Amino acid sequence: MKTFVLSPSVNKGANLQALYLSSRNWLSYIEFFEDEIKFFKKLLMKYFILEINDDSINRINIINAEIKRLEREKNQVLNDIFCYQSNLKATLEDMMQLSEQYLTIQHNDIQEKVKALHPVLDQIKQRLYTITELEIRERNRLSE
C-alpha cells in the first residue's frame, strides 16, 4: 500500500493558509467592533447631549475620549492585520520568503492585540450603562 506523505512545502502552505483564515476571522470581529463603536457614538450624541448636567458632561467627555482612543487602537490593529495578510499572501505565492515561525509569532502578536480591544470596549459599555442609569434616575427624580 502506498502512503502519501506531505512534503514540507505543502505542509507549510497548509499552515500558512490556516493562519490566513484565522486572520480573516479577526476582520469579522473588527467589523462587529466598529458597529458597536458607531452605536455608542450615536447613543452619546442622541441621548446625552440634551438635558444633561455639568457632571454628566464631564463623564460623557471622558467616555468620548476613551472611544476615540479605542478607535485609534482598533485602526492600528486593522493596519497590522492587513499588513500581516499581505505578508502571508506574498509568502504563499512565493513572492516573499518569510519563515513560518516568523509569521506565527506575528500572528500571535496580532491575536493578542485583537483580544486586548475587548476589555476596553467592555469598560466603555459599563461606563455608558452607569451614566445612562444616573441620567434616568435624575430625569425620574425631576419628573416627580
Side-chain angles (χ1 to χ4, degrees), residues 26-36:
W26 297 335
L27 293 176
S28 177
Y29 175 76
I30 295 291
E31 185 177 331
F32 172 76
F33 199 84
E34 288 172 336
D35 289 341
E36 287 210 89

Side-chain angles (χ1 to χ4, degrees), residues 53-118:
N53 58 42
D54 290 339
D55 189 39
S56 294
I57 289 173
N58 291 334
R59 287 186 181 131
I60 289 168
N61 285 333
I62 290 170
I63 292 170
N64 197 35
E66 289 174 351
I67 289 172
K68 286 179 182 180
R69 186 173 52 247
L70 181 61
E71 279 187 300
R72 285 191 303 273
E73 290 174 19
K74 183 258 318 168
N75 288 337
Q76 181 59 51
V77 171
L78 197 55
N79 288 337
D80 291 348
I81 292 169
F82 289 142
C83 181
Y84 175 70
Q85 285 183 327
S86 294
N87 288 344
L88 275 171
K89 183 178 180 189
T91 301
L92 283 168
E93 294 173 352
D94 289 329
M95 296 182 338
M96 192 182 267
Q97 298 302 316
L98 297 174
S99 75
E100 185 176 345
Q101 181 182 11
Y102 170 77
L103 290 168
T104 301
I105 290 169
Q106 195 177 23
H107 182 275
N108 293 338
D109 181 52
I110 295 171
Q111 179 81 28
E112 291 304 312
K113 289 178 183 178
V114 170
K115 285 181 185 178
L117 293 173
H118 194 76

